[in-house]
Amino acid sequence: MKKTIFSVIMLAIVGVCTITTLSACSDDDDNKKDNGDGITINGVDQVEYFRQFLGAFTKNDILGTPFRMKAIDKLTPTVYSYFVEDEKEAETLFLTWIPQEARKAVVRNGNTIVYTPRDAQGAKQGTITFRAALPSETATFAVVEFKDVSKIKGIDKIKFQPESANPDNIGVFDGVPHHLTLEEVKSGNWFWGKVQKGDFFDYPYGTRLYYSAALPKLITGKELIEKMGDKTFYTNYAFESFCIMTSLSTKFNDHVCDNFNPGDHKIIIEAGKYFGGDEIMIQTAEIYINKTYKDIMISECDPPVDEAFESLDESEQYWVCQGYIVDYKSGMSY
């Protein structure tokens, strides 16, 4: 019997439901602790949330495939470079990797941010520190360091650096398949079809990147399968674009909450052939929408799997989100 992987899309997940309700208006000390040691969010493992932006991890919590960063020095294979425009972009990205509610408990000291993630039961999971680069750390804007974070293995440090620091002298996106041009994205000619101007939002970020993300929409399995042609492919940036848009644009965040049903949903965040491979990959994420407080909680993002495509039911409807990052220099999206 053909069974869709999203047969339980509309079922409420009690733990995640509790997350946003508490984050929006609760003062329950049993579930929300702000004492400099982080905040507990029921149902959310904050390290797993954080690391989904860094790459795909194995079952042993070891980094397998890094996203948008790479180790450029063979002598330090656990030190990764993440190329950004400036320290402001670095800090914005770092905060995006933290659940919105947990950001309230980070400890700031000048340009240093200390984050104490907790698991779903409230246990501390070490510390993650963002700090400005030291004078000795040349060609670096900021650094992220991990201490006693057992679920992030294979990464000791992330250096936010300018693209000029790349020894290969290539852009961070070179060699990655392109989706659409900047003009196509801005005109609404997206992969899923024509997107009306009022249903997608964009945000020029610095002088290098342009983020754009569309509102979630319902699409039938038949339509989804038909769009999985030879010209489609999967990249890692759709999820990042959607997540960072909710952080950068209050208008986008509010619009999603106003136009998406409240409660828990499992959505398709990206689909296509994985970097030129033969199999169709689908990546999903779980989000919780609280319309009353206009809050979006993205609890996790599954790695891309080909089995998901095989399980699509043509007669059912699926929530689909789409986002792009566009590089001003090339005018191409990713």
Side-chain angles (χ1 to χ4, degrees):
M1 180 179 66
K2 196 172 185 179
K3 182 180 180 182
T4 174
I5 59 168
F6 301 122
S7 59
V8 294
I9 291 176
M10 310 309 290
L11 291 178
I13 302 175
V14 176
V16 182
C17 286
T18 309
I19 297 169
T20 308
T21 304
L22 291 169
S23 67
C25 59
S26 175
D27 291 323
D28 186 346
D29 291 336
D30 291 334
N31 296 295
K32 180 176 178 181
K33 301 174 183 178
D34 185 358
N35 57 3
D37 289 326
I39 282 180
T40 299
I41 305 175
N42 285 348
V44 175
D45 185 307
Q46 295 175 39
V47 169
E48 291 184 2
Y49 181 98
F50 189 96
R51 74 183 191 180
Q52 70 190 348
F53 295 92
L54 306 182
F57 284 75
T58 68
K59 293 181 179 180
N60 296 323
D61 301 315
I62 299 172
L63 177 65
T65 303
F67 297 165
R68 210 184 139 191
M69 64 181 186
K70 64 180 180 178
I72 61 177
D73 188 344
K74 293 181 180 180
L75 297 178
T76 55
T78 59
V79 176
Y80 282 82
S81 294
Y82 199 113
F83 301 106
V84 296
E85 182 70 22
D86 51 28
E87 187 178 340
K88 177 184 176 183
E89 182 184 358
E91 181 177 326
T92 298
L93 283 168
F94 176 75
L95 292 174
T96 302
W97 302 344
I98 301 173
Q100 186 173 358
E101 177 64 11
R103 296 175 206 166
K104 300 175 183 178
V106 300
V107 178
R108 287 180 175 268
N109 183 10
N111 292 330
T112 299
I113 302 173
V114 179
Y115 170 45
T116 305
R118 291 176 175 266
D119 64 18
Q121 289 72 45
K124 291 188 287 187
Q125 303 184 89
T127 58
I128 304 174
T129 301
F130 173 94
R131 61 171 175 80
L134 302 173
S136 59
E137 296 170 316
T138 57
T140 303
F141 296 121
V143 174
V144 173
E145 296 173 316
F146 303 90
K147 182 178 180 181
D148 300 326
V149 184
S150 61
K151 288 189 176 182
I152 296 182
K153 299 174 183 176
I155 308 176
D156 293 325
K157 183 184 297 185
I158 298 173
K159 298 166 66 175
F160 287 102
Q161 298 184 287
E163 289 184 26
S164 59
N166 191 326
D168 298 325
N169 292 319
I170 60 174
V172 65
F173 296 125
D174 286 4
V176 177
H178 300 291
H179 275 290
L180 302 170
T181 66
L182 175 61
E183 291 305 316
E184 286 174 323
V185 172
K186 293 177 69 173
S187 64
N189 296 313
W190 286 30
F191 164 71
W192 305 110
K194 185 71 174 179
V195 178
Q196 299 301 315
K197 180 61 180 175
D199 289 339
F200 75 89
F201 295 80
D202 46 55
Y203 191 96
Y205 195 76
T207 59
R208 187 173 66 94
L209 296 179
Y210 178 98
Y211 289 95
S212 193
L215 295 176
K217 63 178 295 186
L218 278 173
I219 186 171
T220 66
K222 184 175 186 297
E223 291 176 295
L224 187 59
I225 293 171
E226 289 175 349
K227 293 180 183 297
M228 298 289 104
D230 292 336
K231 295 182 179 179
T232 67
F233 47 85
Y234 171 90
T235 71
N236 298 317
Y237 306 114
F239 179 72
E240 178 181 341
S241 181
F242 180 80
C243 291
I244 201 169
M245 186 62 63
T246 63
S247 175
L248 292 177
S249 174
T250 301
K251 185 177 180 181
F252 175 82
N253 187 88
D254 291 348
H255 206 107
V256 171
C257 289
D258 289 341
N259 288 273
F260 204 51
N261 292 333
D264 288 286
H265 303 277
K266 195 155 190 173
I267 62 175
I268 296 174
I269 204 74
E270 177 63 299
K273 292 185 177 180
Y274 190 64
F275 287 106
D278 295 329
E279 297 176 324
I280 297 293
M281 314 295 283
I282 286 182
Q283 186 174 24
T284 63
E286 290 184 358
I287 65 174
Y288 176 76
I289 303 292
N290 187 319
K291 291 175 71 74
T292 302
Y293 299 98
K294 293 189 175 180
D295 186 28
I296 301 173
M297 178 65 72
I298 306 176
S299 61
E300 66 178 46
C301 185
D302 296 330
V305 292
D306 59 327
E307 292 86 356
F309 179 75
E310 298 297 330
S311 301
L312 288 176
D313 189 324
E314 292 189 6
S315 63
E316 292 206 24
Q317 288 188 313
Y318 303 93
W319 282 112
V320 176
C321 296
Q322 184 65 40
Y324 291 110
I325 299 176
V326 181
D327 184 354
Y328 276 123
K329 292 181 180 179
S330 68
M332 302 301 292
S333 62
Y334 304 87

